[in-house]
Amino acid sequence: MRIIKKYKNRIMYDTHTSKPVTLRQLAQLLSDNISIRIMDNATGRDITRLTMLQTMLDLEKTGHGLR
């Protein structure tokens, strides 16, 4: 399982690759059937569902979808 930390400034950081990750890259991870957990860095709270819902909505708004 990949752990993604989300910081207050909205930047997400993939702890596996030690690099920032975009919403598009998160969608690609899911498309590649890679399990992820997104954690709020300040509180340690699991915010995976909320972030993924935001990701899907943002990608649909832009017309890119999850592909």
Side-chain angles (χ1 to χ4, degrees):
M1 177 174 295
R2 301 273 282 268
I3 303 295
I4 309 294
K5 290 186 178 183
K6 187 172 184 181
Y7 291 85
K8 194 171 187 171
N9 59 3
R10 296 179 52 184
I11 292 177
M12 290 182 280
Y13 182 79
D14 185 340
T15 59
H16 179 76
T17 62
S18 299
K19 294 181 180 179
V21 64
T22 64
L23 293 177
R24 192 99 169 104
Q25 290 167 324
L26 284 179
Q28 186 61 49
L29 288 172
L30 292 176
S31 179
D32 293 343
N33 206 26
I34 296 172
S35 296
I36 63 171
R37 176 168 291 153
I38 303 168
M39 307 297 290
D40 183 292
N41 190 57
T43 65
R45 198 175 103 217
D46 184 345
I47 56 171
T48 305
R49 283 186 181 182
L50 175 63
T51 305
M52 295 318 305
L53 285 170
Q54 289 173 335
T55 300
M56 289 187 282
L57 287 172
D58 288 348
L59 290 173
E60 285 301 318
K61 275 187 203 176
T62 61
H64 293 110
L66 292 176
R67 295 180 193 223

